[in-house]
Amino acid sequence: MNTKHIVTLNEEQRQHLEKITSSGKVSARQMRRAQILLKSDLQTNWSYKQIMEAFDVSAVTIATVRRTFVEQGL
């Protein structure tokens, strides 16, 4: 799938998202969104298909999370 919104995380954002995924004290929705952003980062650069299979989400969900991050930040 063509990615219109490119996710580029800085070190501070990456650490924040990793803290969310490892804490276990956030909602499942927040956890999933953090995981999607971490794998969408240019440094990791997973494909839509890889993210969809790993986290059992749709392409629309991935696109929405990416768009929200690019437009509004964390």
Side-chain angles (χ1 to χ4, degrees), residues 22-74:
S22 65
S23 73
K25 295 186 179 191
V26 295
S27 69
R29 181 179 178 170
Q30 287 177 311
M31 176 81 69
R32 186 66 32 93
R33 288 173 186 259
Q35 291 168 331
I36 290 170
L37 286 173
L38 284 169
K39 298 305 180 187
S40 295
D41 184 23
L42 275 180
Q43 192 172 17
T44 309
N45 202 26
W46 278 25
S47 69
Y48 267 69
K49 184 176 180 181
Q50 289 173 303
I51 296 171
M52 288 167 51
E53 291 172 357
F55 303 119
D56 194 30
V57 294
S58 70
V60 173
T61 299
I62 297 168
T64 301
V65 170
R66 287 180 174 190
R67 184 185 72 236
T68 302
F69 174 77
V70 170
E71 292 176 354
Q72 300 174 11
L74 288 178

Side-chain angles (χ1 to χ4, degrees), residues 12-31:
E12 181 180 323
Q13 292 169 325
R14 191 175 298 106
Q15 287 177 354
H16 177 71
L17 292 171
E18 287 172 352
K19 185 177 176 184
I20 287 174
T21 59
S22 65
S23 73
K25 295 186 179 191
V26 295
S27 69
R29 181 179 178 170
Q30 287 177 311
M31 176 81 69

